[in-house]
Amino acid sequence: MKINKIINLFMASLVLILVACEPNVDEQHLKNTTDVAGVELVATQSTEGGNEITLNMVTPGITGYWDYGLGKALTNKVTFIYPIPGTSTFTYTGTLGSEFFTKTIDVQVDQLDHSLDQDWYDLVGTDTAAGKTWVFDGGPDPDGRQWWFMSAPGSTDNAWSLWWNAGGDCCPPSDAAGKMHFDLDGAANYTHYADASSSTSESGSFVLDVDNQKLIISGAKLLGADAGNADGVYSIVSLTEDKMVLYLSNSETYGTGWTFVFVPE
């Protein structure tokens, strides 16, 4: 009997200890601070109709980022020089508190009164609406030159480390005699031509990421994309008025690096 009492006291004490150790949980649920209509986006231009644009999300309590076509800014406010005349749409993506949203704002650019980064003029020419056409720096038949070749993977530093001179030695790409055209006529337009006669073309768009030295092709393939990647993202090794060298650190076709060398038509 005495033992039973001791056991009962022990069990009661254990229950009290467990209850005392039970954590106090203050459940907090995320709540929206406003709705999408309440998110205010503001666009200003340093000159009327000019191409220096500032985008600002001014609603308190909202966080997110801007996608302004040339890149993304992980802030609520960004200022940039825009290269394309006409009406452009910019997108803000953020959170209301408990859910994500996207909202857009349109900006009309009537004049390119602020100079672009030199890379833009090198790629599309000084007449940005007319644009510029590029072809391979060699070929279209094997000619011993280095214009489309396998290189070491991993870094643009390896772009000229020739592993196999595919285009120059034996095996040019299917569009070796083709060309590609870049222009800013109302949008960042890209056109791929499979051959010099321009009988076969494919239209898309492009992004020139100057800060990260990337050229991104969408909706059409890069010249020589037999060795390209599906995402269309190429590293810029060099870009001048007279030559453009692009590089893949890991070609999906070959599993190696790959280098593309172009010159103006």
Side-chain angles (χ1 to χ4, degrees):
M1 188 71 177
K2 187 174 182 181
I3 293 175
N4 288 337
K5 288 182 178 180
I6 292 173
I7 292 174
N8 289 338
L9 286 171
F10 175 76
M11 294 297 293
S13 299
L14 185 61
V15 170
L16 289 173
I17 291 171
L18 290 174
V19 171
C21 294
E22 192 78 21
N24 290 323
V25 179
D26 183 14
E27 293 188 358
Q28 295 184 353
H29 299 282
L30 293 174
K31 296 181 180 179
N32 289 346
T33 58
T34 185
D35 56 14
V36 176
V39 177
E40 185 179 1
L41 306 181
V42 177
T44 56
Q45 291 155 275
S46 58
T47 56
E48 185 176 355
N51 66 325
E52 184 178 54
I53 301 170
T54 298
L55 301 176
N56 195 8
M57 194 291 302
V58 299
T59 303
I62 303 296
T63 57
Y65 68 90
W66 282 102
D67 184 341
Y68 53 99
L70 310 179
K72 295 180 180 179
L74 304 179
T75 59
N76 289 338
K77 184 177 182 180
V78 59
T79 300
F80 53 92
I81 306 299
Y82 198 63
I84 306 171
T87 301
S88 295
T89 301
F90 304 109
T91 303
Y92 184 85
T93 300
T95 175
L96 299 171
S98 66
E99 61 183 298
F100 289 96
F101 73 96
T102 60
K103 192 169 184 177
T104 61
I105 188 169
D106 292 337
V107 178
Q108 175 68 32
V109 174
D110 297 318
Q111 55 180 337
L112 301 182
D113 58 339
H114 286 73
S115 296
L116 310 178
D117 189 280
Q118 183 60 39
D119 281 352
W120 285 99
Y121 299 119
D122 290 336
L123 180 64
V124 304
T126 53
D127 186 346
T128 59
K132 187 173 178 179
T133 300
W134 295 82
V135 297
F136 277 118
D137 187 21
D141 300 317
D143 54 7
R145 300 179 61 193
Q146 298 177 22
W147 46 275
W148 188 77
F149 58 90
M150 182 182 291
S151 50
S155 168
T156 54
D157 294 337
N158 299 326
W160 291 105
S161 58
L162 179 64
W163 278 14
W164 172 43
N165 192 10
D169 285 351
C170 71
C171 314
S174 59
D175 56 359
K179 58 185 179 181
M180 53 188 182
H181 185 79
F182 298 84
D183 70 66
L184 300 175
D185 186 11
N189 304 304
Y190 171 78
T191 307
H192 171 275
Y193 298 93
D195 55 64
S197 67
S198 305
S199 60
T200 304
S201 65
E202 187 180 37
S203 298
S205 61
F206 73 94
V207 172
L208 177 61
D209 185 344
V210 174
D211 291 339
N212 296 301
Q213 286 296 281
K214 302 286 186 183
L215 179 63
I216 305 165
I217 306 295
S218 302
K221 62 182 180 180
L222 182 81
L223 202 63
D226 293 4
N229 287 354
D231 62 6
V233 179
Y234 298 86
S235 296
I236 298 172
V237 178
S238 63
L239 176 58
T240 67
E241 181 182 0
D242 301 320
K243 182 172 285 190
M244 174 167 59
V245 181
L246 303 180
Y247 170 77
L248 286 176
S249 63
N250 187 7
S251 165
E252 292 171 351
T253 306
Y254 295 98
T256 65
W258 206 270
T259 304
F260 310 72
V261 185
F262 305 105
V263 292
E265 185 182 40

